[in-house]
mmCIF file of all heavy atoms in Angstrom:
data_model
loop_
_atom_site.group_PDB
_atom_site.id
_atom_site.type_symbol
_atom_site.label_atom_id
_atom_site.label_comp_id
_atom_site.label_asym_id
_atom_site.label_seq_id
_atom_site.Cartn_x
_atom_site.Cartn_y
_atom_site.Cartn_z
ATOM 1 N N GLY A 424 3.062 -46.991 -53.434
ATOM 2 C CA GLY A 424 3.212 -47.823 -54.600
ATOM 3 C C GLY A 424 3.693 -47.121 -55.793
ATOM 4 O O GLY A 424 3.701 -47.627 -56.933
ATOM 5 N N ALA A 425 4.044 -45.800 -55.656
ATOM 6 C CA ALA A 425 4.393 -44.973 -56.866
ATOM 7 C C ALA A 425 5.621 -45.641 -57.620
ATOM 8 O O ALA A 425 5.530 -45.684 -58.815
ATOM 9 C CB ALA A 425 4.739 -43.602 -56.392
ATOM 10 N N PRO A 426 6.750 -46.025 -56.899
ATOM 11 C CA PRO A 426 7.792 -46.624 -57.726
ATOM 12 C C PRO A 426 7.370 -47.884 -58.428
ATOM 13 O O PRO A 426 7.773 -48.149 -59.560
ATOM 14 C CB PRO A 426 8.889 -46.887 -56.663
ATOM 15 C CG PRO A 426 8.591 -46.031 -55.562
ATOM 16 C CD PRO A 426 7.075 -45.819 -55.542
ATOM 17 N N MET A 427 6.562 -48.681 -57.747
ATOM 18 C CA MET A 427 6.027 -49.930 -58.383
ATOM 19 C C MET A 427 5.307 -49.650 -59.675
ATOM 20 O O MET A 427 5.414 -50.282 -60.665
ATOM 21 C CB MET A 427 5.171 -50.672 -57.376
ATOM 22 C CG MET A 427 4.412 -51.905 -57.897
ATOM 23 S SD MET A 427 3.503 -52.791 -56.634
ATOM 24 C CE MET A 427 2.071 -51.658 -56.411
ATOM 25 N N LYS A 428 4.489 -48.553 -59.552
ATOM 26 C CA LYS A 428 3.715 -48.135 -60.727
ATOM 27 C C LYS A 428 4.639 -47.733 -61.883
ATOM 28 O O LYS A 428 4.462 -48.094 -63.059
ATOM 29 C CB LYS A 428 2.745 -47.038 -60.326
ATOM 30 C CG LYS A 428 1.830 -46.583 -61.389
ATOM 31 C CD LYS A 428 0.807 -45.631 -60.834
ATOM 32 C CE LYS A 428 0.010 -44.936 -61.839
ATOM 33 N NZ LYS A 428 -0.801 -43.809 -61.234
ATOM 34 N N ARG A 429 5.635 -46.935 -61.484
ATOM 35 C CA ARG A 429 6.584 -46.401 -62.459
ATOM 36 C C ARG A 429 7.419 -47.554 -63.094
ATOM 37 O O ARG A 429 7.562 -47.639 -64.296
ATOM 38 C CB ARG A 429 7.464 -45.432 -61.767
ATOM 39 C CG ARG A 429 8.027 -44.301 -62.581
ATOM 40 C CD ARG A 429 8.681 -43.188 -61.780
ATOM 41 N NE ARG A 429 9.551 -43.671 -60.768
ATOM 42 C CZ ARG A 429 9.462 -43.430 -59.479
ATOM 43 N NH1 ARG A 429 8.422 -42.605 -59.012
ATOM 44 N NH2 ARG A 429 10.296 -43.928 -58.581
ATOM 45 N N GLU A 430 7.948 -48.411 -62.164
ATOM 46 C CA GLU A 430 8.922 -49.439 -62.661
ATOM 47 C C GLU A 430 8.257 -50.615 -63.299
ATOM 48 O O GLU A 430 8.765 -51.188 -64.304
ATOM 49 C CB GLU A 430 9.816 -49.859 -61.514
ATOM 50 C CG GLU A 430 10.538 -48.771 -60.705
ATOM 51 C CD GLU A 430 11.557 -48.047 -61.503
ATOM 52 O OE1 GLU A 430 12.232 -48.739 -62.394
ATOM 53 O OE2 GLU A 430 11.755 -46.841 -61.319
ATOM 54 N N LEU A 431 7.158 -51.049 -62.680
ATOM 55 C CA LEU A 431 6.579 -52.278 -63.178
ATOM 56 C C LEU A 431 5.245 -52.119 -63.841
ATOM 57 O O LEU A 431 4.678 -53.033 -64.423
ATOM 58 C CB LEU A 431 6.327 -53.213 -61.944
ATOM 59 C CG LEU A 431 7.539 -53.632 -61.067
ATOM 60 C CD1 LEU A 431 7.134 -54.502 -59.909
ATOM 61 C CD2 LEU A 431 8.630 -54.349 -61.943
ATOM 62 N N GLY A 432 4.755 -50.857 -63.836
ATOM 63 C CA GLY A 432 3.441 -50.651 -64.403
ATOM 64 C C GLY A 432 2.351 -51.272 -63.586
ATOM 65 O O GLY A 432 1.250 -51.545 -64.115
ATOM 66 N N LEU A 433 2.623 -51.497 -62.263
ATOM 67 C CA LEU A 433 1.492 -52.082 -61.442
ATOM 68 C C LEU A 433 1.072 -50.995 -60.440
ATOM 69 O O LEU A 433 1.832 -50.381 -59.752
ATOM 70 C CB LEU A 433 2.122 -53.234 -60.616
ATOM 71 C CG LEU A 433 2.420 -54.545 -61.361
ATOM 72 C CD1 LEU A 433 2.835 -55.572 -60.314
ATOM 73 C CD2 LEU A 433 1.159 -54.983 -62.138
ATOM 74 N N LYS A 434 -0.212 -50.871 -60.413
ATOM 75 C CA LYS A 434 -0.784 -49.898 -59.503
ATOM 76 C C LYS A 434 -0.961 -50.588 -58.111
ATOM 77 O O LYS A 434 -1.051 -51.823 -58.054
ATOM 78 C CB LYS A 434 -2.177 -49.424 -59.991
ATOM 79 C CG LYS A 434 -1.994 -48.521 -61.263
ATOM 80 C CD LYS A 434 -3.287 -47.973 -61.679
ATOM 81 C CE LYS A 434 -4.248 -49.076 -62.135
ATOM 82 N NZ LYS A 434 -5.078 -48.828 -63.284
ATOM 83 N N THR A 435 -1.132 -49.758 -57.141
ATOM 84 C CA THR A 435 -1.474 -50.284 -55.775
ATOM 85 C C THR A 435 -2.711 -51.156 -55.894
ATOM 86 O O THR A 435 -2.773 -52.212 -55.245
ATOM 87 C CB THR A 435 -1.666 -49.082 -54.782
ATOM 88 O OG1 THR A 435 -0.395 -48.570 -54.498
ATOM 89 C CG2 THR A 435 -2.368 -49.500 -53.619
ATOM 90 N N LEU A 436 -3.670 -50.728 -56.648
ATOM 91 C CA LEU A 436 -4.898 -51.589 -56.864
ATOM 92 C C LEU A 436 -4.508 -52.955 -57.341
ATOM 93 O O LEU A 436 -5.122 -53.994 -56.892
ATOM 94 C CB LEU A 436 -5.840 -50.911 -57.848
ATOM 95 C CG LEU A 436 -7.201 -51.606 -57.893
ATOM 96 C CD1 LEU A 436 -7.994 -51.326 -56.629
ATOM 97 C CD2 LEU A 436 -7.965 -51.076 -59.129
ATOM 98 N N ASP A 437 -3.625 -53.083 -58.276
ATOM 99 C CA ASP A 437 -3.242 -54.395 -58.829
ATOM 100 C C ASP A 437 -2.590 -55.281 -57.720
ATOM 101 O O ASP A 437 -2.933 -56.496 -57.692
ATOM 102 C CB ASP A 437 -2.242 -54.244 -60.007
ATOM 103 C CG ASP A 437 -2.846 -53.373 -61.108
ATOM 104 O OD1 ASP A 437 -4.025 -53.473 -61.388
ATOM 105 O OD2 ASP A 437 -2.067 -52.569 -61.723
ATOM 106 N N LEU A 438 -1.777 -54.680 -56.998
ATOM 107 C CA LEU A 438 -1.110 -55.503 -55.842
ATOM 108 C C LEU A 438 -2.187 -55.949 -54.879
ATOM 109 O O LEU A 438 -2.173 -57.147 -54.477
ATOM 110 C CB LEU A 438 -0.073 -54.619 -55.168
ATOM 111 C CG LEU A 438 0.545 -55.159 -53.927
ATOM 112 C CD1 LEU A 438 1.401 -56.354 -54.288
ATOM 113 C CD2 LEU A 438 1.382 -54.185 -53.170
ATOM 114 N N ALA A 439 -3.123 -55.035 -54.559
ATOM 115 C CA ALA A 439 -4.165 -55.415 -53.630
ATOM 116 C C ALA A 439 -4.949 -56.582 -54.214
ATOM 117 O O ALA A 439 -5.274 -57.571 -53.487
ATOM 118 C CB ALA A 439 -5.091 -54.245 -53.403
ATOM 119 N N LYS A 440 -5.319 -56.523 -55.490
ATOM 120 C CA LYS A 440 -6.164 -57.535 -56.092
ATOM 121 C C LYS A 440 -5.346 -58.903 -56.180
ATOM 122 O O LYS A 440 -5.990 -59.968 -55.976
ATOM 123 C CB LYS A 440 -6.597 -57.181 -57.444
ATOM 124 C CG LYS A 440 -7.514 -55.953 -57.514
ATOM 125 C CD LYS A 440 -8.782 -56.059 -56.646
ATOM 126 C CE LYS A 440 -9.666 -54.877 -56.720
ATOM 127 N NZ LYS A 440 -10.656 -54.763 -55.623
ATOM 128 N N ARG A 441 -4.086 -58.802 -56.419
ATOM 129 C CA ARG A 441 -3.303 -60.007 -56.475
ATOM 130 C C ARG A 441 -3.156 -60.662 -55.088
ATOM 131 O O ARG A 441 -3.168 -61.886 -54.927
ATOM 132 C CB ARG A 441 -1.891 -59.737 -57.069
ATOM 133 C CG ARG A 441 -1.092 -60.963 -57.366
ATOM 134 C CD ARG A 441 -1.777 -61.726 -58.592
ATOM 135 N NE ARG A 441 -0.931 -62.912 -58.871
ATOM 136 C CZ ARG A 441 -1.395 -64.157 -58.849
ATOM 137 N NH1 ARG A 441 -2.723 -64.395 -58.609
ATOM 138 N NH2 ARG A 441 -0.613 -65.163 -59.216
ATOM 139 N N LEU A 442 -3.125 -59.839 -54.072
ATOM 140 C CA LEU A 442 -3.106 -60.416 -52.701
ATOM 141 C C LEU A 442 -4.323 -61.307 -52.407
ATOM 142 O O LEU A 442 -4.233 -62.272 -51.692
ATOM 143 C CB LEU A 442 -3.031 -59.283 -51.661
ATOM 144 C CG LEU A 442 -1.664 -58.732 -51.354
ATOM 145 C CD1 LEU A 442 -1.780 -57.357 -50.523
ATOM 146 C CD2 LEU A 442 -0.818 -59.706 -50.596
ATOM 147 N N LEU A 443 -5.403 -60.941 -53.016
ATOM 148 C CA LEU A 443 -6.636 -61.721 -52.809
ATOM 149 C C LEU A 443 -6.405 -63.206 -53.210
ATOM 150 O O LEU A 443 -6.834 -64.147 -52.579
ATOM 151 C CB LEU A 443 -7.853 -61.201 -53.553
ATOM 152 C CG LEU A 443 -8.185 -59.700 -53.327
ATOM 153 C CD1 LEU A 443 -9.381 -59.320 -54.304
ATOM 154 C CD2 LEU A 443 -8.632 -59.508 -51.874
ATOM 155 N N ASP A 444 -5.696 -63.456 -54.289
ATOM 156 C CA ASP A 444 -5.406 -64.782 -54.758
ATOM 157 C C ASP A 444 -4.535 -65.596 -53.708
ATOM 158 O O ASP A 444 -4.482 -66.812 -53.807
ATOM 159 C CB ASP A 444 -4.688 -64.739 -56.093
ATOM 160 C CG ASP A 444 -5.589 -64.363 -57.195
ATOM 161 O OD1 ASP A 444 -6.829 -64.684 -57.151
ATOM 162 O OD2 ASP A 444 -5.138 -63.641 -58.174
ATOM 163 N N PHE A 445 -3.827 -64.866 -52.944
ATOM 164 C CA PHE A 445 -2.943 -65.538 -51.957
ATOM 165 C C PHE A 445 -3.642 -65.664 -50.576
ATOM 166 O O PHE A 445 -3.006 -65.981 -49.613
ATOM 167 C CB PHE A 445 -1.646 -64.808 -51.824
ATOM 168 C CG PHE A 445 -0.722 -64.960 -53.012
ATOM 169 C CD1 PHE A 445 -0.947 -64.179 -54.164
ATOM 170 C CD2 PHE A 445 0.212 -65.991 -53.057
ATOM 171 C CE1 PHE A 445 -0.138 -64.327 -55.230
ATOM 172 C CE2 PHE A 445 0.982 -66.154 -54.216
ATOM 173 C CZ PHE A 445 0.821 -65.294 -55.318
ATOM 174 N N GLY A 446 -4.914 -65.319 -50.459
ATOM 175 C CA GLY A 446 -5.644 -65.532 -49.245
ATOM 176 C C GLY A 446 -5.450 -64.431 -48.196
ATOM 177 O O GLY A 446 -5.720 -64.670 -47.017
ATOM 178 N N PHE A 447 -5.018 -63.268 -48.677
ATOM 179 C CA PHE A 447 -4.913 -62.172 -47.742
ATOM 180 C C PHE A 447 -5.846 -60.996 -48.068
ATOM 181 O O PHE A 447 -6.141 -60.750 -49.202
ATOM 182 C CB PHE A 447 -3.406 -61.557 -47.797
ATOM 183 C CG PHE A 447 -2.404 -62.455 -47.283
ATOM 184 C CD1 PHE A 447 -1.431 -63.014 -48.171
ATOM 185 C CD2 PHE A 447 -2.299 -62.705 -45.947
ATOM 186 C CE1 PHE A 447 -0.455 -63.856 -47.626
ATOM 187 C CE2 PHE A 447 -1.266 -63.542 -45.435
ATOM 188 C CZ PHE A 447 -0.350 -64.102 -46.341
ATOM 189 N N HIS A 448 -6.382 -60.410 -47.009
ATOM 190 C CA HIS A 448 -7.108 -59.157 -47.279
ATOM 191 C C HIS A 448 -6.119 -58.069 -47.508
ATOM 192 O O HIS A 448 -5.117 -58.034 -46.764
ATOM 193 C CB HIS A 448 -7.985 -58.804 -46.093
ATOM 194 C CG HIS A 448 -9.030 -57.766 -46.465
ATOM 195 N ND1 HIS A 448 -8.712 -56.447 -46.728
ATOM 196 C CD2 HIS A 448 -10.382 -57.867 -46.707
ATOM 197 C CE1 HIS A 448 -9.780 -55.839 -47.053
ATOM 198 N NE2 HIS A 448 -10.800 -56.630 -47.121
ATOM 199 N N PRO A 449 -6.249 -57.287 -48.522
ATOM 200 C CA PRO A 449 -5.272 -56.214 -48.743
ATOM 201 C C PRO A 449 -5.321 -55.148 -47.690
ATOM 202 O O PRO A 449 -6.312 -55.018 -46.946
ATOM 203 C CB PRO A 449 -5.726 -55.647 -50.126
ATOM 204 C CG PRO A 449 -6.713 -56.548 -50.643
ATOM 205 C CD PRO A 449 -7.345 -57.320 -49.506
#
Side-chain angles (χ1 to χ4, degrees):
Chain A
M427 175 177 71
K428 186 172 167 188
R429 208 168 46 236
E430 306 293 326
L431 302 179
L433 287 185
K434 293 184 294 219
T435 284
L436 187 73
D437 301 323
L438 174 64
K440 297 303 181 197
R441 191 66 180 124
L442 276 167
L443 303 177
D444 287 327
F445 289 83
F447 290 110
H448 196 287

